[in-house]
Amino acid sequence: MDKILQIGDAFIEQSTVFSELIQELKQSFSNKDVMVPLRHHHDFPNLEVNSESTLLLMPAWNPGKVAGVKIVTVNPENSRFNLPSIQGTYIYFNALKGTIKAIIEAKSLTVKRTAAASALASSYLSKKDSKSLLMIGTGALSINLIKAHASVRPIKNVFIWGRHMEKAEAIAAELQNEKFHVYPIETIEEKISEVDIISSATLSKTPLVLGELLKSGQHIDLVGAYKPDMREANDEVIKKSSIFIDTYQGGLKESGDIVIPLKNGILKEKDIKADLFELCSNQKPGRQNINEITFFKSVGHSLEDLTAATYYYNKYTNE
């Protein structure tokens, strides 16, 4: 039996080139080789912290080649323990033999592929000359979203907001040697009307991106709010924007940013312009003009995990 490789945080962090990973995702979304069932989503009580946690099981397979399943828990109150909210592992299989090729640290894999998917969408939806970015949220995703967006657009200035200013300041310090400048800000309102791209990755149950403050030509990238009772943008954002999602399979069911407007009649399913499969295969267009406000909602997809797992496995084995 072949040795099972262990691919950890450090390797993933050191080996990621966002332009490469984005291209791999684009290739995967442009064909239909990978089969992806709807992911298992189970909420369970976490009484000690008076909150619900979530168990996610996310399988995918390319028949006769590779397969994988991500097992993840999401614990919104993990900041109390100085831990990221996302924990888990990815099991990567030889789909022909059913043997395990590698066990990959899922937290790092998830944040990298999520950021890369947002940047992939941005390459179709944001203005090509986008130079400024507002990052809402200071969790594990924020640094990766900033770097990924900057890999597809000529970002010069990044403004970052979080509920704790010291976290925003720490991220700015960590990114001080990048080609762009990062500025912590005290309120979202002071910059939201000025930037070209707004990216939000929070677990907020009340909207942080308000449509009343938007300007023409902006791109909105929503990555957090992974449950139907959570949302990061209000109804006015929906009314003003052209709506795109990562996949119809999960995007229509899992996040309040889409589910609540659909339920309330603010949004109709037919109003959604395209998903990543349609964008990457050129079945449907992205941004149509410089004044359009584009809105991308990501809930994650197992295709992204399998693509990222293959990317890191090949790098690890020099294939």
Side-chain angles (χ1 to χ4, degrees), residues 159-172:
F159 306 95
I160 182 164
W161 176 88
R163 298 191 189 280
H164 304 286
M165 176 59 90
E166 60 269 21
K167 289 187 177 180
E169 291 170 344
I171 289 170

Side-chain angles (χ1 to χ4, degrees), residues 56 251 265:
L56 300 172

Side-chain angles (χ1 to χ4, degrees), residues 7-123:
I7 302 177
D9 275 345
F11 179 82
I12 292 172
E13 190 63 40
Q14 294 164 8
S15 303
T16 303
V17 178
F18 274 116
S19 59
E20 296 175 352
L21 183 54
I22 292 164
Q23 189 59 39
E24 293 295 327
L25 286 176
K26 183 177 181 179
Q27 181 63 32
S28 293
F29 274 109
S30 66
N31 63 56
K32 296 186 177 179
D33 294 340
V34 177
M35 301 173 68
V36 182
L38 187 65
R39 69 184 179 184
H40 297 253
H41 186 132
H42 304 283
D43 296 326
F44 58 92
N46 202 333
L47 300 179
E48 186 173 333
V49 293
N50 193 31
S51 174
E52 275 196 337
S53 294
T54 301
L55 174 68
L56 300 172
L57 306 175
M58 304 174 67
W61 51 86
N62 189 339
K65 295 182 179 178
V66 294
V69 60
K70 187 169 72 175
I71 305 168
V72 165
T73 58
V74 184
N75 299 278
E77 297 300 319
N78 263 11
S79 58
R80 300 188 189 189
F81 311 112
N82 198 30
L83 290 170
S85 59
I86 297 173
Q87 302 287 326
T89 193
Y90 193 89
I91 305 174
Y92 186 59
F93 295 92
N94 177 317
L96 178 63
K97 303 173 184 176
T99 53
I100 298 174
K101 294 163 72 75
I103 296 174
I104 305 172
E105 206 291 312
K107 185 166 82 293
S108 294
L109 180 143
T110 300
V111 296
K112 299 298 184 188
R113 64 78 154 152
T114 301
S118 281
L120 174 60
S122 180
S123 72

Side-chain angles (χ1 to χ4, degrees), residues 29 38 243-254 258-259 262 268-279 283-284 296-297 299-301:
F29 274 109
L38 187 65
I243 309 298
F244 298 82
I245 56 181
D246 54 354
T247 70
Y248 293 105
Q249 184 188 53
L252 296 176
K253 300 180 179 71
E254 296 194 16
I258 299 295
V259 171
L262 283 173
K268 293 181 171 57
E269 191 172 329
K270 66 181 177 62
D271 296 329
I272 296 173
K273 302 293 186 182
D275 70 356
L276 279 177
F277 287 103
E278 293 168 328
L279 289 174
Q283 294 179 47
K284 292 185 179 179
F296 175 69
K297 177 61 195 177
V299 298
H301 194 251

Side-chain angles (χ1 to χ4, degrees), residues 57-296:
L57 306 175
M58 304 174 67
W61 51 86
N62 189 339
K65 295 182 179 178
V66 294
V69 60
K70 187 169 72 175
I71 305 168
V72 165
T73 58
V74 184
N75 299 278
E77 297 300 319
N78 263 11
S79 58
R80 300 188 189 189
F81 311 112
N82 198 30
L83 290 170
S85 59
I86 297 173
Q87 302 287 326
T89 193
Y90 193 89
I91 305 174
Y92 186 59
F93 295 92
N94 177 317
L96 178 63
K97 303 173 184 176
T99 53
I100 298 174
K101 294 163 72 75
I103 296 174
I104 305 172
E105 206 291 312
K107 185 166 82 293
S108 294
L109 180 143
T110 300
V111 296
K112 299 298 184 188
R113 64 78 154 152
T114 301
S118 281
L120 174 60
S122 180
S123 72
Y124 290 96
L125 302 177
S126 65
K127 293 184 297 184
K128 286 182 167 45
D129 64 348
S130 295
K131 294 181 174 63
S132 55
L133 167 71
L134 169 60
M135 183 70 239
I136 300 173
T138 54
L141 264 168
S142 57
I143 285 179
N144 292 284
L145 283 163
I146 292 167
K147 289 181 176 180
H149 277 293
S151 75
V152 298
R153 291 294 184 250
I155 301 295
K156 300 298 181 187
N157 294 307
V158 176
F159 306 95
I160 182 164
W161 176 88
R163 298 191 189 280
H164 304 286
M165 176 59 90
E166 60 269 21
K167 289 187 177 180
E169 291 170 344
I171 289 170
E174 188 168 342
L175 295 173
Q176 63 182 335
N177 294 323
E178 298 292 334
K179 61 183 179 181
F180 45 79
H181 301 288
V182 183
Y183 305 95
I185 57 175
E186 293 187 354
T187 66
I188 293 170
E189 290 77 14
E190 64 192 84
K191 288 297 177 183
I192 192 170
S193 302
E194 301 177 12
V195 296
D196 297 311
I197 298 172
I198 301 161
S199 184
S200 185
T202 75
L203 301 176
S204 182
K205 291 193 175 184
T206 56
L208 299 169
V209 179
L210 305 180
E212 298 84 351
L213 302 177
L214 298 183
K215 68 173 184 179
S216 63
Q218 289 180 307
H219 172 57
I220 317 300
D221 169 45
L222 302 183
V223 181
Y226 67 97
K227 293 167 67 172
D229 64 342
M230 296 177 172
R231 65 186 305 191
E232 296 184 291
N234 68 357
D235 287 342
E236 193 64 24
V237 176
I238 298 293
K239 292 175 183 177
K240 285 186 171 183
S241 303
S242 298
I243 309 298
F244 298 82
I245 56 181
D246 54 354
T247 70
Y248 293 105
Q249 184 188 53
L252 296 176
K253 300 180 179 71
E254 296 194 16
S255 171
D257 280 310
I258 299 295
V259 171
I260 294 172
L262 283 173
K263 184 178 180 181
N264 294 341
I266 301 296
L267 176 68
K268 293 181 171 57
E269 191 172 329
K270 66 181 177 62
D271 296 329
I272 296 173
K273 302 293 186 182
D275 70 356
L276 279 177
F277 287 103
E278 293 168 328
L279 289 174
C280 293
S281 60
N282 297 315
Q283 294 179 47
K284 292 185 179 179
R287 172 176 288 272
Q288 296 293 285
N289 59 71
I290 60 170
N291 294 318
E292 184 179 13
I293 297 175
T294 54
F295 171 112
F296 175 69

